[in-house]
C-alpha cells in the first residue's frame, strides 16, 4: 500500500469529552502549517514520525545505544541524549527500548485499521450523540486520507467533526467539508501582524475561509485558545466575537484556557518552549472574558 | 490457594425480605405457623417430625423477637418519663408506641415499616453473628406506606426524609468483632481482606417492576438524599439498578451523590443480571425483583443467599503450572505435577493451568460440602428463615433447604485478570515473538525480577486487559470462561458452586501468598480485584476499560464487579456528568455489564491523605464492594488503592 493511502497519526484518544458533542474518539493527525507558540501538541506539528524521549521512564539499560545505526544516541548523567541532526527517526531504538522511554510518535496507518479503532466505541457514540473528531495538527494537512476517513465514518453512521486552524487552500478544506457534520474552527488573534508573530503565518486566509465556510451551512463552533499575553485580551476577544457575529453558521464559541500540560513535550522533542513562566488565567478572569463574548449573542463555553 | 468466607463466624450473605412480616406481623406469622403445626400429620408426611421442630422454633423465636422489641418500648417510655424537653419527650413516646406495635403487628405507617425492617436486620444478625445482609428494594417495599401516610396527612415529605436519614445512620452503629490475627498462614486476612471493618449491609433502589416498568419513585430520590445527608458515614451499601428506562435525571443525580459521597451508590445493570439469574432457573418475576447484598452480590427473592463463598486464587494455579505443582514461595508441593514448563507449547501451558485450577477448585468444594453439612446440623437459622420466601411453607430452615431456590454457594475468583495478563505476556514474548525463553522467564520469576530489570520491563509493557485490546482480552476471557466452567462442575449439598468475580480486598491478602507473576507483578503484591484491570494497567480511558470488561461473559457469573477510579474533574461540569452517565448507561444497557463501583478521587488527594492523615479524617473511599475511611485502612490496602489508574480527561 502506498503512503498516500495511509495517514500519519500521532494519537488516538478515546472517551474524549471536550471536542464536540457526546463521547468521541479524537484522531490526531500529524502535520500543521502553523507554529503557535502556545501549542500543547508540538509533537503533531511536523509531518513526519519523530522520536520522543521520556526521561522519567528510562531505566538506562542503554539497549538503544548499541542499536542506533547512525550513532545518534549518547548517554550523559544517566539520561539518553538524542543528536537530532543525526537521527532520522527510524525507530529502531524505540523498538528495542523495553521501558517505552524512547517512542516514535506518528504512525502511518491504513484506513481500515484506523476505522476499526474508531468503531470500537460505536455503542458509546450512539447513546451519547458522540462520534469522531479529527484534530491535530491540521486535518487538512492530509486531505485525501482525512476525507476518505470521514466518508467511511459517515457511512458507518458515525457523526464527524474536524478541528481546523483554517490555514488551508479553500479547495482542500471544502473537499473535507463534504464529509463533515461539525466544524471546530480555531480563531486565535484577529490582528494579522500579531497572528504572524504568534503563529508564524498571517490570518487573511483563515478569516477568508471562515467566511466561505459560513456559506456552507455546516454547524460551526469557533474555538479560541485563551493565552495570557497573547490572545487573552478584551480587545482580541471582542474582535473575534464581532467577526464571528458576521458568520451565520456560528452560534457557539468555546474559550480554551491555556494550560501548561504541553510544556514537557517540548523537552521530549528537544525543542524550545517560549511560554515558560506564563500562568494560566484564573477562573474569574475567564468568566469575565466569557461574559464579554456572550454579550455578542453567542453561547459561550469555557473549555471544550 | 483460596480463602474461606465463613471462617469468621456467621452465615448471612443473603437478602432479608421483610414483606410478609410487614403485612401480617410476627403475630400473623405465628398464627400461620400454629395452623401448620395443627395440620401436620406424621402419618401422611414423613417430614413432619422435622417440620414440627422448625415451626415450633419459629414460634419461639417470634415470641423472643416481640419481647426484644418490647424492651425497646419500655426503655423509651422510661426515658420519656424523665425527659423535660417537650419535643424529645414526644419523640420518645412515639418510639415507645412504634416498638410496642411492630414487629408483632402489621406495620401501619412509614415509621412502623422502617422500624420493622430495622428489627429484621438486627435480629437476623443476632441469629448467628452473620454479616452482609441485604434489606432488598427499600424504595419499593416502603413506598406504599410512605404514599398512604402522605395522602392521609400523617406525614410530610420532610418528616419522611428525616426518618430515612435516621434509618440510614442506624446501620453505622452495628459492628462486628473480627479477629485481629488469624492462625499462621492466614495472616490477618480478616483485617486486610475486609479492610475498614465493614458489615456489608446493602440496600437497593431503582430498577424495573415485575411488569418491566421503571420502578423509580419519590423514595428513590429521597434515599439518595439520605446517603448525602449522612455522609461521611460509610454504611450501608447502596446499589442503583440501571435499565433502559432509568430516568436520565435519576442517573445523573445518583452520579452526583457517588462523586460527592465516596462512591455510593454503586451501579448494577438489570439486563445482564436478570439474564444471569434466569439462566440459573430463577423465575422471571423473581429475577426482575433481584437485589444486592454484601459488597456486590445479586440475589432474587427466595434465593438461599450466598453464605458460603470461597475465594480461590486464580493466579496461583498458573504459578503451579509454571513450577510443576510446587509453590514458588515456600517450595512446598501443593499442586499436581503437570510437567516441566520449558517443554510446553502455549496450549500445553494452558492445559496445565486448567488442571491445577481444577484441582484447587475440587479441594475447595470439598471444604464447602463439609462446612455446609456442619452448618445444617449445628447452626440452623430459624429467625433468618422467616425472611426468606418458602422456608415457612416448606417447614425447613434455610440451611436445611427451605429456600425457594437451592443454591447457596459461590466461588469468587480472585486474580483472574492477573492470570490472564500473565498468560498474554507469555504468549507474546515467549511464543509469538520469542524475545524471551521460558527458562529465562522462570529464572526471573524465581528471582522476583531482581537483577532482571530488562525482562521485567518487557513483561510490564506486554498487552494488558483493560485497554480494549483483543490480544490480552481474549486470553483473559479464556481464563474466565475456564474458571466459570470448572467452578460449576462440583455439586455440593446446596447446589452447584456458582462462579463470580466480586469485590473484596482479599486480592491483597491472596497476593501475599503468590509468587511473582509473568504480568510483571512482584511477589506478594496484590492480585487484580474482581474483574478490574490490574492496578494501573488500564491506560486507554474508561470506554476502553468497559469494553474489555464486556468481553467477559458476565452472565456466566452471578456477579462481575468492576472498579473504576476517575478524577473528579471527569464529572465536574453538568455536560461532562451527562456524558459519564451515558457511558454507564451504555455499559449496562447495550453491553450487558453487571456491576460498576466508582471512586471519584484524584491520585494526588490519596497520596496526600496517606502522608497527612490528620487533614483527611472524613475521606471516604470505595475500597472494593464496600466503603471505608481511607485513613483507617492499612498501608498495603492504601497503596493498592493509590496504584489504581485514575481516569481523567
Ligand atoms: S494550529 Fe494547533 S496544532 Fe498547529 S501549531 Fe497551532 S496549536 Fe499547534
Ligand atoms: S530513531 Fe533511529 S536514528 Fe534516531 S536515535 Fe533511534 S535508532 Fe537512531
Amino acid at each position: 500500500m502506498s503512503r498516500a493511502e495511509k495517514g500519519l497519526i500521532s494519537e488516538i484518544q478515546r472517551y474524549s469529552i471536550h471536542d464536540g458533542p457526546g463521547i468521541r474518539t479524537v484522531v490526531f493527525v500529524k502535520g500543521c502549517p502553523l507554529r503557535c507558540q502556545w501549542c500543547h501538541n508540538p509533537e503533531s506539528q511536523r509531518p513526519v514520525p519523530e522520536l520522543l524521549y521520556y526521561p522519567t521512564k528510562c531505566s538506562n539499560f542503554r539497549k538503544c545505544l548499541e542499536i542506533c545505526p547512525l550513532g545518534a544516541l549518547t548517554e550523559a548523567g544517566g539520561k539518553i541524549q538524542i543528536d537530532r541532526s543525526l537521527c532520522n527517526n527510524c525507530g529502531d531504538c524505540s523498538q528495542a527500548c523495553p521501558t517505552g522511554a524512547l517512542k516514535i510518535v506518528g504512525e502511518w496507518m491504513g484506513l481500515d485499521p484506523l476505522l476499526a479503532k474508531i468503531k470500537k466505541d460505536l455503542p458509546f457514540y450512539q447513546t451519547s450523540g458522540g462520534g469522531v473528531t479529527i484534530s491535530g495538527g491540521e486535518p487538512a494537512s492530509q486531505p485525501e486520507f482525512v476525507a476518505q476517513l470521514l466518508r467511511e465514518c459517515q457511512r458507518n453512521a458515525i457523526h464527524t467533526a474536524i478541528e481546523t486552524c483554517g490555514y488551508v487552500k479553500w479547495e482542500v478544506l471544502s473537499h473535507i467539508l463534504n464529509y463533515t457534520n461539525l466544524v471546530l474552527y480555531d480563531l486565535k488573534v484577529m490582528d494579522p501582524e500579531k497572528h504572524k508573530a504568534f503563529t508564524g503565518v498571517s490570518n487573511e486566509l483563515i478569516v477568508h475561509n471562515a467566511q466561505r465556510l459560513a456559506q456552507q451551512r455546516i454547524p460551526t463552533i469557533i474555538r479560541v485558545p485563551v493565552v495570557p499575553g497573547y490572545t487573552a485580551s478584551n480587545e482580541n476577544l471582542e474582535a473575534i466575537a464581532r467577526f464571528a457575529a458576521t458568520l451565520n453558521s456560528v452560534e457557539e464559541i468555546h474559550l480554551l484556557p491555556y494550560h501548561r500540560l504541553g510544556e514537557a513535550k517540548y523537552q521530549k522533542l528537544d525543542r524550545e518552549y517560549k511560554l515558560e513562566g506564563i500562568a494560566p488565567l484564573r477562573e474569574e478572569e475567564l468568566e469575565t472574558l466569557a461574559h464579554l463574548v456572550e454579550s455578542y449573542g453567542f453561547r459561550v463555553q469555557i473549555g471544550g | 490457594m483460596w480463602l474461606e468466607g465463613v471462617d469468621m463466624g456467621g452465615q448471612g450473605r443473603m437478602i432479608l425480605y421483610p414483606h410478609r412480616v410487614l403485612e401480617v406481623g410476627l403475630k400473623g406469622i405465628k398464627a400461620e405457623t400454629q395452623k401448620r403445626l395443627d395440620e401436620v400429620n406424621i402419618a401422611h408426611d414423613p417430614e413432619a417430625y422435622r417440620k414440627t421442630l422448625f415451626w415450633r422454633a419459629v414460634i419461639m423465636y417470634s415470641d423472643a423477637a416481640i419481647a426484644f422489641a418490647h424492651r425497646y418500648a419500655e426503655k423509651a417510655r422510661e426515658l420519656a418519663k424523665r425527659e423535660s424537653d417537650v419535643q424529645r419527650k414526644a419523640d420518645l413516646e412515639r418510639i415507645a408506641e412504634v416498638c410496642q406495635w411492630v414487629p408483632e403487628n402489621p406495620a401501619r405507617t412509614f415509621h412502623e415499616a422502617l422500624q420493622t425492617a430495622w428489627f429484621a436486620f438486627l435480629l437476623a444478625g443476632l441469629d448467628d453473628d452473620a454479616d452482609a445482609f441485604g434489606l432488598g428494594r427499600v424504595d419499593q417495599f416502603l413506598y406504599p406506606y410512605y404514599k398512604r401516610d402522605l395522602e392521609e396527612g400523617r406525614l410530610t415529605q420532610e418528616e419522611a426524609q428525616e426518618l430515612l436519614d435516621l434509618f440510614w445512620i442506624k446501620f453505622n452503629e452495628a459492628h462486628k468483632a473480627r479477629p485481629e490475627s488469624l492462625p499462621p498462614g492466614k495472616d490477618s486476612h480478616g483485617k486486610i481482606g475486609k479492610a475498614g471493618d465493614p458489615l456489608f449491609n446493602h440496600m437497593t433502589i431503582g430498577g424495573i417492576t415485575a411488569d418491566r416498568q421503571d420502578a423509580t419513585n419519590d423514595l428513590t430520590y429521597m434515599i439518595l438524599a439520605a446517603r448525602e445527608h449522612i455522609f461521611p458515614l460509610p454504611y450501608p451499601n447502596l446499589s442503583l439498578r440501571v435499565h433502559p428506562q432509568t430516568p436520565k435525571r435519576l442517573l445523573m443525580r445518583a452520579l452526583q451523590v457517588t462523586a460527592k459521597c465516596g462512591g455510593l451508590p454503586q451501579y448494577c445493570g438489570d439486563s445482564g443480571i436478570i439474564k444471569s439469574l434466569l439462566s440459573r432457573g430463577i423465575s422471571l418475576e423473581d429475577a426482575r425483583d433481584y437485589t444486592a447484598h454484601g459488597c456486590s452480590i445479586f440475589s432474587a427473592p427466595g434465593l438461599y443467599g450466598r453464605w458460603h463463598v470461597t475465594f480461590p486464587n486464580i493466579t496461583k494455579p498458573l504459578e503451579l503450572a509454571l513450577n510443576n505443582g510446587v509453590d514458588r514461595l515456600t517450595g512446598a508441593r501443593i499442586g499436581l505435577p503437570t510437567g516441566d514448563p520449558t517443554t510446553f507449547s502455549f496450549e500445553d501451558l494452558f492445559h496445565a493451568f486448567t488442571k491445577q485450577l481444577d484441582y484447587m477448585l475440587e479441594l475447595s468444594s470439598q471444604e464447602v460440602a463439609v462446612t455446609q453439612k456442619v452448618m445444617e446440623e449445628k447452626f440452623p437459622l430459624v429467625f433468618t428463615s422467616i425472611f426468606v420466601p418458602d422456608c415457612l411453607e416448606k417447614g425447613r430452615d434455610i440451611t436445611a433447604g427451605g429456600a425457594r431456590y437451592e443454591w447457596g454457594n459461590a466461588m469468587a475468583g480472585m486474580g483472574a485478570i492477573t492470570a490472564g495478563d500473565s498468560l498474554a505476556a507469555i504468549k507474546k514474548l515467549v511464543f509469538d515473538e520469542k524475545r524471551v525463553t521460558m527458562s529465562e522467564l522462570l529464572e526471573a520469576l524465581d528471582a522476583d525480577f531482581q537483577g532482571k530489570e530488562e525482562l521485567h520491563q518487557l513483561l510490564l509493557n506486554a498487552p494488558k486487559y483493560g485497554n480494549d485490546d483483543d490480544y490480552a482480552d481474549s486470553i483473559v476471557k479464556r481464563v474466565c470462561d475456564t474458571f466459570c466452567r470448572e467452578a460449576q462442575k462440583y455439586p455440593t449439598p446446596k447446589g452447584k458452586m456458582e462462579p463470580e468475580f466480586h469485590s473484596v480486598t482479599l486480592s491483597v491478602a491472596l497476593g501475599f501468598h503468590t509468587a511473582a507473576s509473568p504480568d510483571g507483578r512482584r511477589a506478594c503484591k496484590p492480585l487484580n480485584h474482581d474483574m478490574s484491570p490490574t492496578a494501573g494497567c488500564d491506560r486507554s480511558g474508561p470506554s476502553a476499560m468497559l469494553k474489555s470488561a464486556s468481553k467477559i461473559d458476565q452472565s456466566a457469573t452471578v456477579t462481575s464487579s468492576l472498579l473504576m477510579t476517575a478524577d473528579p474533574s471527569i464529572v465536574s461540569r453538568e455536560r461532562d456528568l451527562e456524558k459519564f452517565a451515558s457511558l454507564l448507561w451504555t455499559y449496562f444497557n447495550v453491553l450487558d455489564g453487571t456491576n460498576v463501583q466508582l471512586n471519584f478521587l484524584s491520585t494526588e488527594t490519596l497520596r496526600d491523605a496517606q502522608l497527612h492523615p490528620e487533614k483527611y479524617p472524613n475521606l471516604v473511599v470505595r475500597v472494593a464492594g464496600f466503603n471505608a475511611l481511607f485513613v483507617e485502612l492499612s498501608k498495603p490496602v492504601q497503596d493498592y488503592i493509590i496504584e489504581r489508574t485514575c481516569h481523567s480527561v
Side-chain angles (χ1 to χ4, degrees):
Chain A
M1 197 185 264
S2 81
R3 283 239 161 130
E5 289 157 17
K6 291 190 173 187
L8 184 63
I9 307 302
S10 62
E11 205 195 330
I12 299 167
Q13 197 186 335
R14 294 169 68 174
Y15 195 70
S16 183
I17 54 176
H18 295 159
D19 300 282
I23 295 169
R24 309 189 77 81
T25 294
V26 179
V27 177
F28 294 87
V29 301
K30 203 156 154 35
C32 181
L34 270 57
R35 290 291 176 270
C36 305
Q37 294 189 16
W38 51 80
C39 180
H40 56 253
N41 290 327
E43 78 283 11
S44 64
Q45 289 176 344
R46 293 187 184 156
V48 288
E50 279 174 282
L51 183 65
L52 252 71
Y53 176 56
Y54 296 79
T56 49
K57 286 193 185 172
C58 179
S59 15
N60 198 14
F61 296 134
R62 302 191 220 169
K63 268 266 166 190
C64 50
L65 299 190
E66 305 154 19
I67 292 241
C68 176
L70 302 176
L73 299 174
T74 48
E75 191 241 288
K79 296 290 162 224
I80 302 298
Q81 308 275 323
I82 306 164
D83 185 338
R84 297 272 174 188
S85 66
L86 291 177
C87 169
N88 67 357
N89 298 307
C90 71
D92 289 357
C93 56
S94 71
Q95 293 269 315
C97 174
T99 62
L102 283 165
K103 199 184 124 198
I104 291 282
V105 58
E107 184 189 345
W108 287 101
M109 285 186 80
L111 207 53
D112 290 340
L114 183 51
L115 199 62
K117 288 212 170 181
I118 293 170
K119 286 205 305 210
K120 283 183 169 226
D121 272 350
L122 202 56
F124 299 105
Y125 310 149
Q126 282 163 348
T127 53
S128 70
V132 69
T133 300
I134 315 295
S135 181
E138 168 54 49
S141 69
Q142 300 179 38
E144 204 34 61
F145 181 77
V146 168
Q148 279 178 31
L149 177 62
L150 292 173
R151 192 185 57 212
E152 284 310 307
C153 286
Q154 286 191 336
R155 278 192 185 155
N156 284 281
I158 299 171
H159 176 272
T160 60
I162 59 165
E163 176 169 27
T164 176
C165 70
Y167 192 78
V168 215
K169 272 202 204 125
W170 172 249
E171 298 70 55
V172 171
L173 187 59
S174 69
H175 178 47
I176 293 177
L177 291 175
N178 287 330
Y179 313 106
T180 303
N181 300 117
L182 170 73
V183 180
L184 307 173
Y185 200 90
D186 294 353
L187 286 178
K188 282 118 185 173
V189 210
M190 286 314 280
D191 180 295
E193 292 296 305
K194 286 191 181 159
H195 198 280
K196 180 145 179 51
F198 298 160
T199 72
V201 304
S202 181
N203 66 354
E204 277 101 17
L205 180 59
I206 297 171
V207 167
H208 196 190
N209 279 341
Q211 287 161 336
R212 285 191 271 209
L213 168 64
Q215 274 143 38
Q216 304 273 310
R217 314 229 162 240
I218 301 173
T220 300
I221 296 171
I222 299 290
R223 299 187 128 199
V224 188
V226 184
V227 189
Y230 290 79
T231 65
S233 67
N234 288 3
E235 193 196 343
N236 183 43
L237 283 161
E238 279 193 286
I240 288 177
R242 233 178 288 123
F243 172 63
T246 67
L247 309 171
N248 48 24
S249 61
V250 177
E251 286 166 6
E252 202 171 330
I253 296 187
H254 292 175
L255 304 182
L256 309 181
Y258 162 78
H259 59 72
R260 286 164 153 176
L261 300 177
E263 194 169 334
K265 293 188 195 163
Y266 283 83
Q267 288 160 11
K268 289 168 194 151
L269 287 159
D270 300 307
R271 291 216 216 133
E272 185 197 358
Y273 185 61
K274 300 209 177 97
L275 268 69
E276 218 160 309
I278 289 196
L281 285 190
R282 278 180 288 121
E283 197 75 27
E284 314 83 76
E285 295 171 307
L286 282 164
E287 295 282 344
T288 314
L289 291 175
H291 288 313
L292 188 68
V293 178
E294 249 160 18
S295 70
Y296 285 81
F298 293 105
R299 264 181 289 138
V300 179
Q301 189 172 296
I302 297 174
Chain B
M1 289 205 274
W2 75 88
L3 288 168
E4 217 347 86
V6 284
D7 58 3
M8 282 171 293
Q11 301 181 41
R13 298 193 187 85
M14 66 185 74
I15 312 281
L16 302 170
Y17 285 89
H19 304 60
R20 251 339 252 157
V21 178
L22 285 168
E23 272 164 38
V24 302
L26 286 175
K27 197 162 77 179
I29 301 276
K30 274 172 61 186
E32 283 169 17
T33 308
Q34 188 56 53
K35 190 157 170 272
R36 291 197 171 99
L37 276 170
D38 294 343
E39 285 167 3
V40 75
N41 182 342
I42 201 155
H44 300 293
D45 182 352
E47 287 264 315
Y49 174 71
R50 194 177 175 148
K51 286 178 177 174
T52 303
L53 290 182
F54 173 65
W55 283 330
R56 280 198 189 146
V58 166
I59 291 180
M60 282 161 65
Y61 265 84
S62 300
D63 282 335
I66 293 165
F68 180 79
H70 286 173
R71 280 165 55 203
Y72 276 69
E74 208 173 294
K75 184 74 186 170
R77 265 193 301 270
E78 181 197 315
L79 290 172
K81 241 180 251 156
R82 283 193 264 125
E83 182 59 58
S84 54
D85 182 280
V86 185
Q87 180 58 48
R88 181 65 188 150
K89 195 181 180 76
D91 286 348
L92 285 163
E93 280 165 355
R94 195 155 142 237
I95 290 170
E97 270 170 43
V98 171
C99 296
Q100 190 66 37
W101 185 258
V102 292
E104 180 175 11
N105 297 289
R108 298 164 301 188
T109 63
F110 184 62
H111 189 162
E112 287 175 357
L114 283 172
Q115 189 66 51
T116 306
W118 172 248
F119 276 136
F121 163 76
L122 209 54
L123 287 156
L126 288 177
D127 221 357
D128 78 333
D129 190 27
D131 56 32
F133 287 111
L135 269 182
R137 304 176 72 184
V138 267
D139 59 343
Q140 304 304 304
F141 72 75
L142 288 173
Y143 188 68
Y145 299 94
Y146 163 80
K147 187 161 163 265
R148 205 166 53 216
D149 280 6
L150 234 56
E151 279 166 5
E152 294 174 7
R154 254 193 308 274
L155 188 78
T156 64
Q157 202 182 17
E158 293 70 50
E159 287 164 342
Q161 182 70 58
E162 191 189 352
L163 285 170
L164 270 179
D165 293 357
L166 294 172
F167 183 61
W168 241 250
I169 290 173
K170 289 303 277 181
F171 287 88
N172 292 277
E173 291 176 358
H175 269 274
K176 174 169 174 172
R178 285 207 172 87
E180 277 289 317
S181 56
L182 290 166
K186 290 217 164 181
D187 291 325
S188 48
H189 99 247
K191 276 198 88 185
I192 286 184
K194 295 170 182 178
D197 192 23
L199 272 185
F200 304 102
N201 301 307
H202 211 136
M203 313 283 188
T204 306
I205 54 175
I208 55 172
T209 59
D211 53 355
R212 215 173 169 200
Q213 302 301 307
D214 174 44
T216 312
N217 61 40
D218 284 359
L219 287 179
T220 319
Y221 287 96
M222 288 164 69
I223 286 167
L224 289 172
R227 175 67 228 153
E228 210 169 19
H229 295 159
I230 70 155
F231 182 76
L233 291 177
Y235 315 126
N237 244 336
L238 179 63
S239 277
L240 176 69
R241 286 178 43 174
V242 180
H243 63 99
Q245 275 76 46
T246 298
K248 191 166 153 197
R249 180 169 87 95
L250 176 64
L251 191 51
M252 288 184 56
R253 169 77 181 115
L255 278 167
Q256 274 169 351
V257 177
T258 301
K260 211 168 121 189
C261 302
L264 282 175
Q266 56 159 309
Y267 299 82
C268 6
D270 280 6
S271 162
I273 293 171
I274 291 172
K275 232 181 249 176
S276 156
L277 291 169
L278 288 176
S279 76
R280 293 175 159 77
I282 307 290
S283 75
L284 183 60
E285 192 190 338
D286 285 339
R288 285 183 176 165
D289 207 16
Y290 82 88
T291 59
H293 61 92
C295 32
S296 53
I297 310 177
F298 304 108
S299 266
L303 196 60
Y304 183 2
R306 211 90 80 250
W307 65 268
H308 205 131
V309 191
T310 60
F311 300 94
N313 175 349
I314 304 180
T315 310
K316 197 73 184 177
L318 181 62
E319 177 185 323
L320 297 174
L322 287 169
N323 207 26
N324 203 5
V326 174
D327 186 318
R328 208 179 277 285
L329 284 178
T330 62
R333 168 167 300 283
I334 58 170
L336 301 170
T338 40
D340 173 4
T342 59
T343 65
F344 283 172
S345 66
F346 182 74
E347 285 310 312
D348 294 339
L349 174 61
F350 203 92
H351 183 68
F353 161 69
T354 308
K355 273 172 78 176
Q356 300 284 1
L357 176 71
D358 184 30
Y359 175 64
M360 171 178 84
L361 297 183
E362 186 187 338
L363 289 180
S364 87
S365 67
Q366 283 169 358
E367 185 198 0
V368 168
V370 171
T371 319
Q372 281 179 348
K373 274 308 189 198
V374 172
M375 287 293 184
E376 179 179 340
E377 276 169 27
K378 306 287 180 202
F379 303 98
L381 292 178
V382 178
F383 190 76
T384 310
S385 300
I386 295 176
F387 297 93
V388 178
D390 291 6
C391 288
L392 289 175
E393 291 79 350
K394 285 196 205 163
R396 283 163 174 258
D397 88 282
I398 45 173
T399 65
R404 183 175 302 162
Y405 303 106
E406 183 59 351
W407 43 278
N409 324 291
M411 289 210 178
M414 297 277 150
I417 310 300
T418 307
D421 281 349
S422 295
L423 284 160
I426 297 175
K427 182 162 178 345
K428 177 126 187 139
L429 296 168
V430 178
F431 294 104
D432 290 1
E433 294 181 354
K434 303 193 168 40
R435 282 177 90 160
V436 179
T437 66
M438 185 61 98
S439 330
E440 280 167 345
L441 174 71
L442 298 176
E443 230 174 83
L445 294 176
D446 274 334
D448 194 15
F449 308 117
Q450 299 300 329
K452 311 275 176 192
E453 268 315 305
E454 195 180 324
L455 175 53
H456 190 209
Q457 288 298 332
L458 281 174
L459 295 169
L460 287 172
N461 286 300
K464 297 278 187 279
Y465 162 89
N467 299 289
D468 198 6
D469 167 357
D470 286 336
Y471 193 94
D473 293 352
S474 62
I475 295 176
V476 163
K477 178 178 163 35
R478 191 171 167 198
V479 168
C480 292
D481 288 347
T482 305
F483 167 68
C484 290
R485 193 184 58 233
E486 298 296 320
Q488 289 181 79
K489 239 166 61 181
Y490 296 101
T492 75
K494 299 281 174 278
K496 282 185 304 194
M497 299 294 287
E498 297 291 350
E500 53 187 41
F501 299 107
H502 88 228
S503 198
V504 281
T505 33
L506 290 172
S507 44
V508 180
L510 285 165
F512 282 156
H513 303 290
T514 311
S517 43
D519 62 335
R521 178 191 139 280
R522 288 192 193 271
C524 307
K525 292 288 175 198
L527 310 175
N528 84 287
H529 242 17
D530 47 46
M531 260 187 18
S532 308
T534 302
C537 286
D538 44 327
R539 304 178 194 115
S540 312
S543 59
M545 178 191 181
L546 295 179
K547 279 285 298 296
S548 279
S550 73
K551 292 176 200 171
I552 295 174
D553 181 6
Q554 299 190 19
S555 54
T557 71
V558 284
T559 293
S560 291
S561 296
L562 188 65
L563 217 142
M564 187 192 287
T565 301
D567 193 271
S569 66
I570 209 167
V571 292
S572 59
R573 300 182 303 183
E574 173 103 3
R575 57 180 189 272
D576 296 343
L577 183 70
E578 201 176 329
K579 291 182 187 186
F580 197 85
S582 67
L583 178 82
L584 277 192
W585 193 97
T586 312
Y587 181 62
F588 291 130
N589 297 320
V590 182
L591 301 175
D592 275 357
T594 51
N595 179 237
V596 173
Q597 324 238 346
L598 293 163
N599 255 322
F600 289 104
L601 282 168
S602 71
T603 314
E604 293 81 73
T605 308
L606 295 170
R607 285 229 168 82
D608 199 47
Q610 195 176 40
L611 291 175
H612 309 286
E614 67 291 348
K615 276 165 55 189
Y616 299 89
N618 291 339
L619 181 66
V620 175
V621 291
R622 192 99 189 121
V623 183
F626 58 92
N627 284 23
L629 289 168
F630 184 76
V631 296
E632 288 183 357
L633 297 170
S634 63
K635 177 122 189 330
V637 177
Q638 284 185 347
D639 286 344
Y640 188 49
I641 293 173
I642 291 173
E643 278 162 24
R644 292 175 190 156
T645 301
C646 182
H647 293 278
S648 61
V649 287

